[in-house]
Amino acid sequence: MAVPLLDVAAQNLALEAELQDAFARVLHSGRYILGDEVASFETETAARCGAAHGIGTSSGTDALLLALMSLGIGPGDEVLCPSFTFFATAGSIARTGATPVFVDSHADTFNLNAEDADAKVTPQTKAIIPVHLFGQAADMTAIGQLAKAHSLHLIEDAAQAQGATWEGIPVGGMGDFGAFSFYPTKNLGALGDAGLLTTSNDALAERARLLRGHGAKPKYHHEAIGGNFRLDELQAALLRVKQTQLDEWIALRTGNAAQYQSLLAGTPDLILPAAAPGHSWNQFTVRLPNRERRDALAAHLRAGEIGNEIYYPEALHEQPCFAHLPSANCPVAEQLTAQVLSLPVYPEMTETQIAEVAHSVSAFCA
Ligand SMILES: *Cc1c(COP(=O)(O)O)cnc(C)c1O
């Protein structure tokens, strides 16, 4: 039985009638940019995270960039971020003219190591961007203390973790800004690109709204240089339909992860992900002892038509586009790039499909 890595069409087609209604509503409104759908989606998402403001953006990447621009981050500044993450986290920092300073991760949670971050703070450090990788919150207690101790701005990259919590607190509401992505593969996926910033700081919210629309206030009078970082009215309307299912989808992901944990417990040479409370399971990522075994398992699964992916095969401090930066010491990030493999965990999976994946993995490891 073939099992895809995920099936976004199945998820959307289950809501076909409601999505068609939302499309018709926007079509007939004649308002396609920054209308009521965006405003409502912003309010609803902010409320979910316990934040005062939501600012819809064109993507998760633009949410991160807009957060950094709103904080005035630029040339000469350093911003701490994990090396083991999706490129956008560091790419956004570099695009402001600031320097990404790469921090190592914890092998068991895949998330930023606050002690290593502390050791890499300099007088130029202005901000830190922890990533809630694979749907699991980073250690916001330690990172919050670090940010406070060094007066750093704190931006949560919550792109992969919509619906996750840290000690009961929703991600996206704990820093100066929270950045979300609604790329179709995320926990809450649009039918295209979309993102959102959350903040509880009134002045920062105002600044982000200004910069989202070319810094114009009033229209055609530009106080600052921003960009076009707007969320489409259509995507907001579709996301408002889909968000009603988010809790259910996360519960299904959590159930799937639990099933893997029990089916794969004790498998030789296989390290299962830490199953902390509040995890939203955007990915179920296992580890093998080394690159050779990991690549062999990936090939074995592919041969059986079982979807899998390596998130991420190269750490960011090793990327050619950052070769001009001072070399960063992130041994765990390098180790993880050789060990990790993500298995299908999407909400629509059947029990039989999970059993099939688990069987294929254990047959290989045995
Ligand atoms: C997906 C993702 C982003 C970027 O989101 P886009 O909507 O694709 O621009 C940023 N950071 C992380 C960790 C992501 O996984």
Side-chain angles (χ1 to χ4, degrees):
M1 185 208 317
V3 183
L5 183 61
L6 83 178
D7 190 347
V8 288
Q11 178 169 99
N12 292 327
L13 288 170
L15 297 166
E16 188 169 3
E18 294 91 333
L19 292 169
Q20 297 277 12
D21 284 352
F23 174 80
R25 207 163 63 226
V26 175
L27 174 67
H28 287 272
S29 77
R31 179 103 195 239
Y32 306 129
I33 298 290
L34 300 186
D36 293 343
E37 301 286 349
V38 169
S40 298
F41 182 63
E42 289 176 338
T43 309
E44 290 154 2
T45 309
R48 248 177 197 289
C49 311
H53 306 276
I55 300 117
T57 59
S58 28
S59 68
T61 302
D62 285 342
L64 287 167
L65 180 63
L66 182 58
L68 290 160
M69 289 171 73
S70 302
L71 291 166
I73 304 293
D77 297 337
E78 293 176 2
V79 179
L80 299 160
C81 74
S83 179
F84 189 67
T85 176
F86 179 60
F87 180 77
T89 317
S92 310
I93 298 167
R95 285 173 65 193
T96 66
T99 303
V101 174
F102 295 109
V103 177
D104 212 0
S105 294
H106 291 292
D108 54 346
T109 62
F110 308 110
N111 276 325
L112 184 137
N113 180 330
E115 265 175 52
D116 189 49
D118 195 44
K120 289 172 176 171
V121 171
T122 75
Q124 282 70 50
T125 313
K126 292 287 156 44
I128 181 165
I129 311 185
V131 180
H132 305 308
L133 204 69
F134 303 150
Q136 174 158 242
D139 181 347
M140 291 306 291
T141 308
I143 295 164
Q145 281 164 0
L146 167 90
K148 202 164 171 198
H150 298 284
S151 302
L152 306 181
H153 299 298
L154 174 55
I155 301 170
E156 297 176 71
D157 182 340
Q160 298 183 7
Q162 172 88 318
T165 56
W166 171 255
E167 296 185 342
I169 306 167
V171 300
M174 292 176 272
D176 295 294
F177 280 113
F180 289 98
S181 166
F182 307 108
Y183 184 79
T185 65
K186 306 292 162 104
N187 285 350
L188 176 60
L191 276 68
D193 278 311
L196 188 132
L197 267 186
T198 47
T199 181
S200 290
N201 180 313
D202 297 347
L204 285 178
E206 196 183 328
R207 185 74 182 165
R209 285 184 190 286
L210 180 77
L211 295 176
R212 178 177 66 175
H214 287 300
K217 194 181 179 180
K219 228 172 165 180
Y220 308 122
H221 178 75
H222 301 267
E223 294 179 6
I225 300 170
N228 172 1
F229 304 129
R230 295 181 299 253
L231 170 62
D232 285 356
E233 185 74 352
L234 187 55
Q235 293 300 344
L238 299 171
L239 283 163
R240 291 186 69 210
V241 170
K242 294 194 68 180
Q243 71 180 352
T244 60
Q245 309 299 309
L246 179 62
D247 291 344
E248 170 69 15
W249 287 332
I250 290 174
L252 290 166
R253 287 177 180 277
T254 306
N256 294 348
Q259 219 185 317
Y260 276 137
Q261 300 276 6
S262 77
L263 291 170
L264 292 171
T267 306
D269 279 356
L270 189 76
I271 304 172
L272 295 171
H279 201 316
S280 65
W281 297 105
N282 186 241
Q283 301 295 340
F284 188 90
T285 305
V286 298
R287 285 189 285 147
L288 280 294
N290 55 50
R291 189 181 302 274
E292 198 185 354
R293 287 294 283 165
R294 188 271 313 275
D295 290 348
L297 173 58
H300 169 80
L301 293 173
R302 257 196 317 276
E305 293 185 70
I306 290 173
N308 64 88
E309 189 71 56
I310 297 167
Y311 304 114
Y312 296 93
E314 282 179 61
L316 296 187
H317 70 282
E318 303 173 307
Q319 299 290 343
C321 67
F322 294 132
H324 62 286
L325 297 177
S327 75
N329 186 30
C330 300
V332 175
E334 287 171 28
Q335 175 201 324
L336 289 174
T337 61
Q339 294 183 327
V340 291
L341 192 69
S342 293
L343 305 176
V345 72
Y346 61 95
E348 295 74 21
M349 283 183 91
T350 63
E351 242 174 78
T352 323
Q353 286 179 311
I354 294 170
E356 172 88 10
V357 178
H359 176 77
S360 185
V361 171
S362 32
F364 171 87
C365 291

